[in-house]
Structure formats: C-alpha cells, structure tokens
Amino acid sequence: MSRNIRGDESALENVLSLVEALLQLSEEQDCESKLPLCAVWDADKLRITGYKSEQTRGNRSKTTEVGTKKEYLLKQIKDAGKTLKLPPQKAEFNLSQDKRELDELQTALDWLKELGVREDQKSTKSQGYWKFILTLKHQTATIKENLEVVKQKWKEHQKTNLKETFQTQTTDNSLDWQEICRAMLEKHKRLTTNELLFADDEMKFELEAIHVPLALVERTKPKKCSEDISAEQGSQLYEPSYEEKQRFEHQAFLEQIIRDGVGKTQGHRIALIGEPGAGKTTQLQTIAFWILNNNLGLPIWISLADLQGKSVENYLLQDWLKNALEVVEDVTKEDKNAFADLFKNNRVWLLLDAADEMSSLQPLTEISQQLTGWVKYARVVLTCRVNVWEANAGALADFETYRLLNFEYPQQVQEFIEKWFKPRNLTPQPPLLIKERGSNKGEKLWQELDKAERQRIQDLVKNPLRLALLCSTWQGSDKGLPETKAGLYQQFVEEVYKWKENRFPTTEQQQQELNAALGRLAKRAIDQETSRFRLPHKFVREELGDAKQQSYLFPLALKLGWLNEVGVAAESATKEKVYAFYHPTFEEYFAALAIDDWHEFLNHVPDKPALGVYRIFAPQWKEVILLWLGREDVGREKKEEFIQALVEFDDGCGEYRAFDRVKKGFYEFRAYFLAAAGVDEWKNSCNADAIVAEIVKWGFGEFKVEQNEWVEFLTPIPEAARTALPQTNRIKAIAALVELIGNPQLDYSTRRQAAEGLGEIGSGNQKAIDALVELIGNPQLDDDTRRQAAESLGEIGSGNQKAIDALVELIGNPQLDDDTRRQ
C-alpha cells in the first residue's frame, strides 16, 4: 500500500526543493560532457541520470551511463542554495549533519516515487545510483510553472492514496473503521434530526438538499471609542461584527474547503457559526457523510454537550470508542492504540457539534486546550452559536470561521415551501399529515407570506428551523399568519400537540399544566450561569415531578418530545440523566409564558441596585422579553407599563453628553434600545412613534436652529442607534427615514446614510421605493447620494416596476458619471 502523504507539508517542501534544483541544473549545465549528474529535457520529460568514467586497457577512458548518486544530488541542492528542510517526524538527532541530509534527500526521492516518478531502465539504486524521469509541463515553461505541476500531482496523490487506503480490504483481525464510523454517524443522525418536522423519508431527503449558503468571515476590530465613553462602557456598546470575505454555495464549500483544503488552515480547522435553527447540525451531518462517501477520511461525531467535564481525548476513549466497538467491559489497550494511530496518520475528522451547549463558562477556550496529544492530528469542524463565538473571540484564533447565512428570500424560501407541499406517494399517515397536501396549499402559504406587510415574518422564516415549523403549522391549519414571533410559536406549540394526538393524546387542561411546568423549568434554566440547555434529572424533577412517581408531566414531556434525554452527567457518580428542550428557542418561548409580571424583567431599586431585578441587561433574556411582549394573553396595560419603564429608566451611574445638553447614561441607552425592539412585537404601543423618532434622531442627528446646522451625536451612539433601527417597528422606521430624507436642511452625508438605512429595512415597501426613486431623479443632489439611492433601490425593489423604470432612466442619463450608471 502506498504511504499516506496527506498533510505532510514539510515533505512537499523537500520535494519542491529537489525538483527546483534539478530544473536549475537543466538550465545551467551542458550534459554533452556526460557529468556525474545530468538533467536532460525531452519535450515534457526531464530525465535525471549520470555517467561514470573508468580506465580500460591501453589507458583509455570509458564513460558509462549508470545514474547519479545521492551525494551528487545533495551537492547540487546546496549549490543551488536550496537547503532541504527535515520533517520533524523524520528527525534523527543521533546522526551527523551530512548523514541526516543524505537521509533527508532519500526521503524526498521516496516521495517523488510516490508521486508517480518513473525509474529509467534498470534501477541500480542498490549500488547507490538513481535514474528517473519527471513528467512536467515543458522545457520552455518557467521553473514556477513546472513546480505547479508537482504541486498538482501532490494533491491528486492525496486523493488517490486516501481512496486506496479506505478501499483496501482489511484482514480478518482488523477493524473496519469506515463502517464503524458510518454506523456511529447514523446513530447520531437519528438523535439530532428534527423528526417532528418531517412526515416521511422522501420529504426529509428533498428538504435536506436545500442548504443555506456559507460565508467566510473575519471579526472586525472595533473602532476607537469617544473620550466621552469609558473603555469599560465602550466595549459593551460595540456589538462584535463580522466582515464577509467570500461566499460559498453548499457544493462549492464541500469541494473547495472540505475536499481540496483551500484557505489559511487548508481545511484543518473550520468553525461553522450561526443563529439557533440556522442549520448548523444539519450542515455538519452533511459534511460527515460527504467525507465518508468520498473516501476523505474517518468522520467522528461528538455532541459537545455530552462531554460534561471530560476531555475530548477521554470521551473518545471511554465513551465513543466503547459504544463504537459495542463492548461491555473497558476497551483493550490494543484497540486504544490502534484508534490513536488513526489520528496520528491524519485519517480522522473530528466533528464537534454545538460548542454553545457545553457546561463551561469558556467553552471555546476549553476546546482549544484539549486539541493536544494525538487528538491534535485530526481535522476539526466545529459548530457554535454566534453569540458564544463572539463572547470567546480569539480562543480558537487558528480556526477559519464560516457563518451560516439565512435562506435567501424569496428564492430558497419559496423552493423550500414548494418541496414541502409537493404531492408525493405517501405511505399511510394520520389524516392530519396528509390534509390538503399539494401544490395549491403551498401556493396559498407563499401568497400569504409574500405580502408587503409580512416583512417581519419573512425575515423570521429565513431561518431553516422556523420555516419548517411554519410549513408544519400551515399544513393542518386554516389560520392566517400571526404578526409576532410569540403568535407564531403559539401556533407551533398547538401544532405539536395535534401532531402527537394519535400516539399521545392530551386534554386541554393537561396541555396548560405541562406548558406552565415547562415555563417554570425554562425560566430557572435560563437564569443559570452555566448549563442553560442541559438539565439534570433532579433539576427537571423539581418542576415536573419524578418520572417514576405518579406525576404525569415528566413522562408526558418526554413522550411529546418537548424534553429529550441527551446523555448523563459526568460529574454524577450515579450517572444522572440529562435532558434538553426540543430546541433552545422553545425553551425561550416557554420561559416567556411563565412571566406574569414585567417586574420580573425589571425591578429598579435606585439606591440599592443589588436588591433589584435587571434581566433587561442579560443577553440571554432579550428573546424571552420580546416573546413576552408578543403574547396575546398579556394585557396591553402591562405591556405599556413595561415599555414606559424602559424608556424612563434612569441608571444613575454616569451620563453621556450629546449635542449641547446632557443625555442618557450607558444603561439608559441599552434600556431604550430594548424598548425599540419591543415595539416591533407590541406594535400598538402608544410610545412606538416617539421611540422610533428618537432612535432615528440618535442615529442620524437633527437640525439645531440656534447653531443653524445639522448636528449629530458623538460616537458610538449613532452606530448603536442605526443597528437598533432594523430591530424596531419597520413600518414606522421606514416612515421616519422617508421623512428624514425629505428634510431640506439635511446634509449630503446624512442623506446618504438614511438612503443606506432604507436599503436595509425597506424591502418591498412602496414608500421606501418612492423615496429612493425621488432621490435618484433629483439632479440637485451629489452623485454619491444618487449612487447610494440606486444601490439601496436595487436591494429593496426586486420586481417593482417603478423601481425598474427609475433605474432604466438613470442608466440612460448621459449627464451622470460612469460609476453611478454602472451601479
């Protein structure tokens, strides 16, 4: 069997050094003199040989071609100034320097043979001589071009070598690691697939073929904050952001990053980050089976929540290997050593799922510290929520970060809906599952979803999980789409109970009791500093009762799938079981159901804040707060009181000077931004207009009569306000931006920023489109502003005839500069 050269970059350097020296030799020498080392070209063949002179009878000299010796090759390498680098794994420190170099050269020759070098005529290497032929590009090509041929052969050999390795039949006493990994992957896939969403395997297969695009991203460095903001405050005001470097469609990602190893880490360290429900686990499953089916290595899956204090190495040996080999007793030392050798031979891919679910305050730092020993030789693909990745920025700096983007709207969302409702021959299913299944049902959903006023829901269902749940709820319901996320999740919950009705029927009272208990459980879990998503048996039992006792709530939650067993607590001597909600977003929704009084989010005690409640400043509670504001069963008076409390919040711990007067403190801004997001869920708030107007003013400034000029806030408030704008009531925000753009006192720079803002939030909105069309057609504006308006119009005016006409007219305007017309 040929040796495995995957990942041996030092060996490649040696080979390239040797070939480059031989190419230089071919340009410099005259081989008519029959030297001990000759490099002779014949079209694309570079023949490496040498001659030996011997004395014959009569004092005559006879020159015979015998090939070259390693010593001559080594001398030529030195003469060319190309010192070979010894691979660390091949270093033998007890050798003299000369012998080491000879051994190193022998290694490079061995690698050349592995790459398909043809030995010329009869080999005499047993006597220390070599003759061989390199097939390159051509004698007339440059050295660099010929070296590229060697690099390409190296890559091709990597693929072929691995394929041969995995296709070779093992002996009866050997383990078939490929089949072992496949069986373990199938097991994990069953545990991690959202079975509630799919009625049949055919649908599952078709929907898994729709993948979100990925973007190679880099975390951007925050700008320097203003002197008016302390360093501590500034670090909290700035939201970590990412700059997109390159976008990959699904198949291109698999081929270029996973197979070919393009990028700074050559595919050895990859992080997939995304929002909850973005499809991280699904993407990782696809990668795992693609690796296996293309003979690229042995994929080993670890759900990181299962570590529970164990190191990756210990988990692999004590848990994964034991389950994979299906042994009752401990795994033998021989099997452990064979398993470790798989890593050392660069055959293993570690697929680490859900770093955010680890029971650690610094999960990424912990992972970094554990990729050591023989584990470090594995190629690693890791998934993680964006917020956890941001919070641990720099812990895995050697990883290349790819962010899972949303489904593209409308193309991929519409495609998903069409495939979901595509007529198919189903095996017998409960009536609920086959009710009105067909393209007409899907068309109705799409028509309802694609209305201009549905922008919030359109944005919501770009997330793969939520789109699947939407299709599921629409499948058996004649209700229209709700306005809020809480309303949508309410439908989701109702749908789950209907879906499980045949197997696990429940009464309305049982559902209410279970929802309340799940809410109390979720609320307590979110308040925990660690393990918010992993819930020990004792923790669950305190709210739902013991599954072995008379209480029916615990077993019912398990039967319905709201809670699922995900492993055991490693720190428990009795191997206590651990559970998790069906998905973290449901945990947040049930927690919102458990909040009766908004003071549980905010109970301000100005003189003694330690006695107060300030969940409004805890990131993990933001989504819960928004879901609470969207609940239909919460009275408008309570919601209005809460919004008012956020708007009027006085932190009493510092002030921020803006314009010519003292404004809010740091925490007051944060409370206000939360109120701005809140009025998108509670759209009937009497404060909504004033809140949106204030956000726009902070983001873009206002005209000061006494100064007779447009004045803006000091950094970083404008940036934070503009970030908050897309999160608030979009209809009101669009109206405020349109009014701002029409203000004759507005300066060019601010008008451009406002036009850019419309491009972010104004998709399909006719008022936004009209405002941008008017900007484009205004000859009194500068070209930069009109160009920005055209760019924003292109983002929000898809299919709008008025937008198309305006852009067509702009293109035909000979007075505009070429850059604007091109845009």
Side-chain angles (χ1 to χ4, degrees):
M1 185 184 298
S2 60
R3 75 176 72 193
N4 183 1
I5 67 174
R6 169 175 288 274
D8 198 339
E9 298 304 322
S10 297
L12 176 58
E13 289 182 11
N14 284 356
V15 171
L16 292 175
S17 295
L18 172 58
V19 175
E20 183 175 355
L22 294 173
L23 288 169
Q24 289 181 359
L25 179 65
S26 71
E27 294 179 351
E28 297 169 359
Q29 71 177 187
D30 176 13
C31 277
E32 294 298 324
S33 59
K34 297 185 178 180
L35 300 171
L37 172 60
C38 290
V40 185
W41 277 98
D42 181 9
D44 63 344
K45 304 290 192 299
L46 182 63
R47 184 164 172 261
I48 313 300
T49 187
Y51 296 86
K52 180 179 180 181
S53 296
E54 295 178 330
Q55 295 291 336
T56 61
R57 292 179 182 179
N59 292 324
R60 293 183 178 181
S61 177
K62 179 182 178 182
T63 302
T64 307
E65 182 182 352
V66 293
T68 185
K69 283 193 172 184
K70 291 184 290 184
E71 290 85 346
Y72 296 131
L73 283 172
L74 181 59
K75 182 177 183 301
Q76 182 57 42
I77 296 294
K78 291 182 176 179
D79 291 345
K82 296 290 180 181
T83 301
L84 291 177
K85 296 181 179 179
L86 187 65
Q89 63 269 33
K90 298 184 181 298
E92 297 179 39
F93 296 103
N94 61 331
L95 297 176
S96 68
Q97 187 63 27
D98 288 342
K99 188 174 189 307
R100 180 187 296 179
E101 289 180 339
L102 287 174
D103 287 346
E104 185 178 351
L105 181 59
Q106 179 71 56
T107 299
L109 288 168
D110 289 344
W111 286 127
L112 273 178
K113 184 179 178 182
E114 288 292 320
L115 292 176
V117 170
R118 182 161 60 88
E119 293 181 19
D120 189 19
Q121 301 175 10
K122 293 182 179 180
S123 173
T124 56
K125 63 180 180 179
S126 60
Q127 303 172 24
Y129 289 93
W130 282 80
K131 290 191 290 185
F132 52 91
I133 293 174
L134 293 172
T135 301
L136 300 173
K137 190 167 186 179
H138 198 273
Q139 180 179 1
T140 59
T142 65
I143 289 180
K144 182 177 180 181
E145 289 172 333
N146 279 310
L147 290 178
E148 286 299 322
V149 175
V150 178
K151 291 180 183 178
Q152 186 60 37
K153 287 177 179 289
W154 183 273
K155 288 185 178 180
E156 291 173 357
H157 183 78
Q158 286 180 318
K159 301 173 189 176
T160 304
N161 182 66
L162 280 173
K163 189 171 293 187
E164 290 175 354
T165 300
F166 292 118
Q167 289 177 347
T168 301
Q169 295 295 323
T170 57
T171 62
D172 291 340
N173 295 328
S174 299
L175 295 170
D176 190 339
W177 289 106
Q178 195 173 19
E179 287 307 311
I180 289 173
C181 288
R182 185 180 297 277
M184 290 295 285
L185 282 179
E186 293 288 356
K187 178 181 178 181
H188 281 293
K189 186 175 183 180
R190 288 193 297 271
L191 292 174
T192 55
T193 297
N194 289 316
E195 298 293 345
L196 285 178
L197 304 181
F198 304 108
D200 58 89
D201 290 335
E202 182 182 355
M203 180 198 294
K204 215 183 307 182
F205 174 79
E206 290 186 2
L207 295 178
E208 286 177 353
I210 307 175
H211 292 277
V212 298
L214 296 97
L216 172 64
V217 294
E218 286 186 4
R219 189 171 183 271
T220 57
K221 295 181 180 179
K223 300 175 183 178
K224 291 184 178 180
C225 57
S226 166
E227 296 179 357
D228 292 327
I229 301 293
S230 71
E232 182 180 355
Q233 290 174 329
S235 66
Q236 297 178 57
L237 278 173
Y238 283 110
E239 287 292 333
S241 59
Y242 289 90
E243 178 183 355
E244 182 175 325
K245 293 295 184 181
Q246 186 177 359
R247 184 169 295 203
F248 294 87
E249 295 303 324
H250 176 68
Q251 192 61 31
F253 177 81
L254 293 175
E255 293 174 357
Q256 296 179 36
I257 307 304
I258 302 300
R259 184 191 66 193
D260 296 340
V262 174
K264 70 176 184 180
T265 72
Q266 298 182 326
H268 282 71
R269 294 290 185 266
I270 299 170
L272 305 177
I273 65 173
E275 302 297 336
K280 299 183 294 296
T281 298
T282 301
Q283 186 75 250
L284 196 62
Q285 288 174 349
T286 303
I287 290 172
F289 284 98
W290 200 81
I291 291 169
L292 203 57
N293 295 335
N294 287 274
N295 297 311
L296 298 180
L298 300 171
I300 293 179
W301 183 288
I302 299 180
S303 294
L304 290 170
D306 294 338
L307 293 184
Q308 283 297 282
K310 288 186 179 179
S311 68
V312 171
E313 179 177 328
N314 287 338
Y315 178 84
L316 285 168
L317 294 175
Q318 299 172 14
D319 295 78
W320 190 94
L321 188 57
K322 184 175 181 178
N323 291 331
L325 300 182
E326 298 180 340
V327 295
V328 177
E329 302 296 332
D330 290 338
V331 180
T332 66
K333 182 179 180 180
E334 290 75 14
D335 284 337
K336 289 182 179 180
N337 289 335
F339 186 59
D341 285 341
L342 297 176
F343 285 77
K344 295 176 183 178
N345 292 329
N346 306 117
R347 292 179 60 185
V348 174
W349 292 69
L350 271 184
L351 308 173
L352 308 179
D353 190 37
D356 46 275
E357 295 183 11
M358 292 178 66
S359 57
S360 171
L361 291 175
Q362 295 181 313
L364 303 186
T365 300
E366 187 172 322
I367 291 171
S368 176
Q369 294 170 348
Q370 294 183 17
L371 295 179
T372 57
W374 48 265
V375 177
K376 70 182 178 184
Y377 294 104
R379 296 178 69 172
V380 180
V381 186
L382 171 144
T383 69
C384 184
R385 280 194 182 188
V386 172
N387 63 317
V388 173
W389 188 261
E390 289 178 343
N392 292 261
L396 293 175
D398 58 334
F399 274 64
E400 208 159 22
T401 310
Y402 295 86
R403 182 163 185 169
L404 277 75
L405 307 177
N406 285 324
F407 276 148
E408 294 180 359
Y409 189 93
Q411 295 88 349
Q412 285 190 306
V413 172
Q414 186 174 14
E415 181 185 358
F416 188 98
I417 292 174
E418 288 175 353
K419 286 186 178 295
W420 182 283
F421 292 97
K422 176 183 176 182
R424 55 176 57 84
N425 295 323
L426 290 172
T427 55
Q429 298 286 344
L432 177 64
L433 295 182
I434 60 176
K435 179 183 178 182
E436 286 192 64
R437 178 166 228 126
S439 58
N440 187 53
K441 186 76 171 177
E443 289 173 3
K444 290 181 180 178
L445 173 58
W446 174 249
Q447 291 170 2
E448 180 69 20
L449 178 64
D450 201 38
K451 294 179 180 179
E453 64 270 20
R454 296 294 190 187
Q455 291 177 8
R456 180 60 179 165
I457 302 299
Q458 291 167 9
D459 182 67
L460 186 71
V461 298
K462 290 177 183 177
N463 178 284
L465 172 67
R466 293 194 288 261
L467 179 56
L469 286 168
L470 175 68
C471 291
S472 176
T473 58
W474 184 266
Q475 183 72 50
S477 172
D478 295 325
K479 297 179 180 179
L481 294 180
E483 292 290 338
T484 65
K485 285 191 290 186
L488 186 59
Y489 275 95
Q490 180 181 344
Q491 286 192 9
F492 293 163
V493 170
E494 292 172 355
E495 177 64 16
V496 170
Y497 283 119
K498 292 178 182 178
W499 206 322
K500 296 288 186 176
E501 182 66 27
N502 288 336
R503 294 187 61 193
F504 307 112
T506 54
T507 65
E508 185 175 348
Q509 181 179 351
Q510 289 173 328
Q511 293 174 16
Q512 291 176 352
E513 291 179 3
L514 180 56
N515 289 350
L518 290 172
R520 295 191 298 270
L521 177 67
K523 178 182 170 184
R524 284 186 58 196
I526 292 175
D527 262 335
Q528 295 187 120
E529 291 186 2
T530 60
S531 298
R532 292 196 302 272
F533 304 124
R534 286 181 57 93
L535 313 175
H537 180 90
K538 180 180 179 181
F539 186 86
V540 178
R541 186 183 60 199
E542 290 173 355
E543 294 297 342
L544 273 67
D546 196 322
K548 296 180 180 179
Q549 297 175 356
Q550 298 298 318
S551 174
Y552 66 90
L553 294 179
F554 198 159
L556 184 59
L558 296 174
K559 291 177 182 177
L560 292 171
W562 290 127
L563 294 176
N564 295 282
E565 183 181 338
V566 293
V568 296
E571 68 277 7
S572 171
T574 59
K575 299 297 181 183
E576 181 182 16
K577 292 181 179 181
V578 175
Y579 302 89
F581 273 83
Y582 163 57
H583 191 275
T585 50
F586 283 99
E587 182 172 302
E588 292 166 338
Y589 174 69
F590 281 117
L593 295 182
I595 303 297
D596 294 324
D597 186 348
W598 62 264
H599 287 90
E600 294 189 53
F601 298 133
L602 172 62
N603 184 25
H604 188 31
V605 183
D607 298 332
K608 296 182 179 180
L611 301 179
V613 176
Y614 300 97
R615 288 190 173 112
I616 61 171
F617 300 126
Q620 69 268 29
W621 278 96
K622 179 178 179 179
E623 189 67 16
V624 178
I625 291 170
L626 297 179
L627 287 166
W628 182 86
L629 283 167
R631 282 174 50 186
E632 295 180 356
D633 59 336
V634 175
R636 60 180 300 139
E637 296 82 5
K638 291 183 179 180
K639 296 179 183 179
E640 205 63 72
E641 288 175 4
F642 180 49
I643 293 294
Q644 191 68 32
L646 292 174
V647 169
E648 296 177 351
F649 182 75
D650 182 3
D651 59 21
C653 58
E655 296 175 326
Y656 178 86
R657 184 171 295 278
F659 300 146
D660 58 348
R661 61 186 184 278
V662 173
K663 289 296 292 184
K664 296 179 176 296
F666 166 63
Y667 287 100
E668 295 174 40
F669 274 110
R670 290 189 61 184
Y672 207 100
F673 290 146
L674 180 59
V679 296
D680 189 41
E681 292 297 310
W682 169 232
K683 291 180 172 58
N684 295 326
S685 172
C686 62
N687 285 289
D689 290 319
I691 290 173
V692 173
E694 194 76 356
I695 294 294
V696 170
K697 184 173 68 176
W698 293 346
F700 302 95
E702 67 176 349
F703 185 77
K704 303 297 294 182
V705 176
E706 58 272 22
Q707 299 177 22
N708 195 32
E709 64 177 346
W710 195 269
V711 181
E712 296 182 357
F713 271 64
L714 296 177
T715 307
I717 296 304
E719 181 181 352
R722 290 195 293 269
T723 300
L725 198 60
Q727 302 175 28
T728 192
N729 187 307
R730 294 194 179 189
I731 301 300
K732 296 183 184 298
I734 289 169
L737 285 179
V738 169
E739 182 180 355
L740 178 68
I741 287 173
N743 189 325
Q745 297 166 321
L746 196 62
D747 60 63
Y748 286 159
S749 175
T750 306
R751 185 174 276 108
R752 280 196 299 274
Q753 290 178 335
E756 183 180 1
L758 276 182
E760 295 178 1
I761 67 174
S763 179
N765 185 278
Q766 192 60 50
K767 289 184 178 180
I769 291 172
D770 290 344
L772 293 173
V773 168
E774 186 174 348
L775 282 182
I776 290 173
N778 189 341
Q780 297 179 352
L781 294 179
D782 62 301
D783 288 344
D784 287 341
T785 300
R786 300 172 75 184
R787 188 184 300 118
Q788 179 60 62
E791 181 178 346
S792 294
L793 188 60
E795 294 172 355
I796 72 172
S798 177
N800 185 283
Q801 193 59 48
K802 188 170 184 179
I804 293 171
D805 292 342
L807 292 175
V808 169
E809 183 177 353
L810 182 69
I811 292 170
N813 187 340
Q815 297 178 348
L816 287 181
D817 63 277
D818 290 342
D819 287 341
T820 302
R821 296 168 72 184
R822 188 180 298 114
Q823 180 67 55

